[in-house]
Amino acid sequence: MAPQNHALLAPSASSRWLRCPASVIWTSRAPRGESSAFAQEGTWAHALAERYLRAGIDGTPDDEVRFTDDEVTAIVAAGLDPDDFRGPVMEYVNYVRSIPGMLLVEQELDLEPITGEKGAKGTSDAVVIDEAGEIHICDLKYGRGEQVEADHNTQLAIYAGAAIAAFGFMADIKIVNLHIVQPRLSHTVVWTAPLDVFEPFLEDIRKGAAKALRLFETVGDGTPAECNYHPGPVACRWCCFRGQCGALAGYALTSAGLELPDSIKPKIDGEALADLLSRVDLIQSWLKDLGSAAHDALLAGEKIPGYKLVEGRAGPRKWSDEGKAEKLLKGWKVPAEARYVKSLISPTAAEKLVKLKTLTEDQWRDLNSVIIREPGKLTVVPESDKRPAVSGKPEAEAYPDESKPSEN
């Protein structure tokens, strides 16, 4: 895959910085965390998709395309099956291959003509240009958390604008097609726009990018003025500053019908955190009640604009009659070692053997030499809690930060 370039105004974050210019300031100052498990899964899927598409161009048979040994090791270590990637990825690959025209795979694009950010680069999964004057921007979304729509998709529009700027000389572009392929949700959509419809939309993106850049250059090491914050579900969802953002705190408290504490500043400090933490239980219980009310209303047949009731992901498979399943497997001569899974008892189960006199106290003490225990996760509690406070800064590996939201 092409190298990753971390543009200040990254296309993948455009839904955030177009709505909330102040977020550019704060996210640029935040340390870059490790990618989530979902992001890593997407990286592997994109790597495989790229190899299939390039194989189609150079004539390599599809059955010769595979993960590298290192990738297989990492995928298995993550508890995933490398073979599970092929079906969804091939659905995307075959879709892209069905679009006539010149195919550019994992195409690095100059974003400066669109966002104005000097030297910024971005990589589009696939660009197809045909002689009839149509350009296609295809994006593989491997996640299955929520559907992504193509209609007026700002990320793909930025790629389309950058691709037209780079390759427009090859054809007189008249129509822009933005494609989202989300195979694990059986969701494939396209937004088709004539150039006279697409260009005003792209111009709005340019203006939004210019506003964010001006703010970034003007504020420097300072704090953005209040008018530059525009919290909301879309802008805040993947923002790494959300836990420290006074504007989001105000938005949430106002939505919950709660009074804003005077201590709230654009960047939440310790005093404001104390004010807000005292309200957490009430807000969480209110959110739970809100969800229950929506569930009950929809179940009763009431309409809630923009929302619906669906069946969640099915639970794990299990035998309805374990004895019958065991009899069938045995009758089919499946070896015992393949029918059953053996595992060593846990330390807790071993301790119970002492009470049953199966183990002696001395034997239990010997077992203790090979018992380890993960440290408890750090938890914020009121000072009245009887547990001792953790002093100093613990090692990051021992106490990972699990408060940051993860992107799908």
Side-chain angles (χ1 to χ4, degrees):
M1 293 180 66
Q4 298 297 307
N5 297 287
H6 300 296
L8 184 68
L9 302 183
S12 60
S14 56
S15 59
R16 169 178 55 75
W17 52 258
L18 282 169
R19 289 172 172 83
C20 183
S23 68
V24 176
I25 307 294
W26 298 113
T27 55
S28 70
R29 298 174 186 174
R32 190 169 297 280
E34 294 182 4
S35 63
S36 68
F38 298 112
Q40 185 58 64
E41 190 178 33
T43 298
W44 288 321
H46 279 79
L48 190 62
E50 177 184 0
R51 288 167 202 162
Y52 272 121
L53 289 175
R54 293 196 187 283
I57 294 172
D58 64 25
T60 303
D62 283 350
D63 58 10
E64 292 185 14
V65 176
R66 55 182 54 87
F67 285 117
T68 66
D69 290 343
D70 287 344
E71 286 169 338
V72 169
T73 300
I75 291 169
V76 171
L80 302 173
D81 185 341
D83 290 337
D84 288 346
F85 285 80
R86 296 190 180 275
V89 166
M90 281 306 299
E91 185 176 329
Y92 161 76
V93 168
N94 289 333
Y95 181 85
V96 173
R97 286 174 174 172
S98 71
I99 302 172
M102 183 187 71
L103 171 61
L104 305 171
V105 182
E106 288 291 329
Q107 181 62 48
E108 185 177 76
L109 298 166
D110 181 6
L111 303 179
E112 187 175 347
I114 312 303
T115 66
E117 183 183 348
K118 294 189 180 300
K121 305 290 183 183
T123 303
S124 176
D125 293 348
V127 178
V128 181
I129 304 173
D130 68 21
E131 295 178 355
E134 292 198 35
I135 187 168
H136 302 261
I137 305 297
C138 302
D139 196 57
L140 168 62
K141 299 294 186 187
Y142 196 69
R144 52 185 174 189
E146 66 176 49
Q147 289 186 172
V148 180
E149 300 303 328
D151 194 342
H152 288 81
N153 185 296
T154 54
Q155 177 187 3
L156 270 61
I158 292 172
Y159 289 143
I164 291 171
F167 305 109
F169 67 90
M170 299 173 61
D172 181 17
I173 303 298
K174 300 181 181 69
I175 296 176
V176 176
N177 301 275
L178 308 183
H179 303 259
I180 294 286
V181 182
Q182 206 164 0
R184 295 203 291 175
L185 286 182
S186 300
H187 179 67
T188 299
V189 287
V190 57
W191 181 55
T192 299
L195 204 59
D196 61 352
V197 172
F198 178 75
E199 285 185 330
F201 173 52
L202 189 63
E203 186 57 29
D204 286 342
I205 294 175
R206 285 195 180 98
K207 290 176 180 177
K211 181 179 180 180
L213 280 181
R214 280 196 305 271
L215 180 66
F216 181 80
E217 293 164 358
T218 302
V219 170
D221 295 330
T223 299
E226 188 176 337
C227 61
N228 295 295
Y229 297 84
H230 300 285
V234 176
C236 300
R237 179 160 191 189
W238 304 116
C239 182
C240 63
F241 184 63
R242 53 186 284 167
Q244 300 171 276
C245 182
L248 176 56
Y251 174 89
L253 290 173
T254 302
S255 298
L258 300 174
E259 185 180 343
L260 294 177
D262 295 334
S263 58
I264 285 189
K265 300 178 179 64
K267 184 175 182 180
I268 298 173
D269 58 16
E271 183 183 355
L273 276 173
D275 260 334
L276 294 168
L277 286 170
S278 67
R279 304 159 189 251
V280 165
D281 288 343
L282 174 60
I283 294 172
Q284 287 180 336
S285 64
W286 172 75
L287 291 172
K288 184 177 179 181
D289 291 342
L290 192 67
S292 295
H295 177 277
D296 293 345
L298 289 168
L299 196 60
E302 296 180 31
K303 297 292 184 182
I304 301 178
Y307 292 87
K308 62 182 178 180
L309 203 60
V310 299
E311 184 175 324
R313 190 174 299 172
R317 293 176 295 175
K318 57 184 180 181
W319 303 118
S320 61
D321 186 334
E322 191 170 300
K324 183 176 181 180
E326 183 180 29
K327 185 176 180 180
L328 286 170
L329 290 169
K330 192 174 182 179
W332 294 327
K333 309 297 184 185
V334 176
E337 59 271 21
R339 294 200 309 270
Y340 303 101
V341 177
K342 287 185 178 181
S343 61
L344 193 64
I345 61 173
S346 68
T348 301
E351 187 175 22
K352 290 179 180 177
L353 295 180
V354 178
K355 295 179 181 179
L356 296 173
K357 306 300 183 182
T358 306
L359 290 177
T360 66
E361 292 288 349
D362 288 342
Q363 290 170 329
W364 171 242
R365 278 192 290 272
D366 289 342
L367 275 177
N368 268 274
S369 66
V370 290
I371 294 175
I372 59 172
R373 195 168 191 173
E374 294 293 328
K377 294 175 182 174
L378 295 183
T379 306
V380 178
V381 298
E383 285 188 340
S384 58
D385 191 287
K386 294 181 180 180
R387 288 169 290 183
V390 175
S391 58
K393 188 176 181 181
E395 293 183 9
E397 289 184 1
Y399 298 101
D401 179 5
E402 298 186 349
S403 63
K404 296 178 181 177
S406 60
E407 187 168 349
N408 187 4

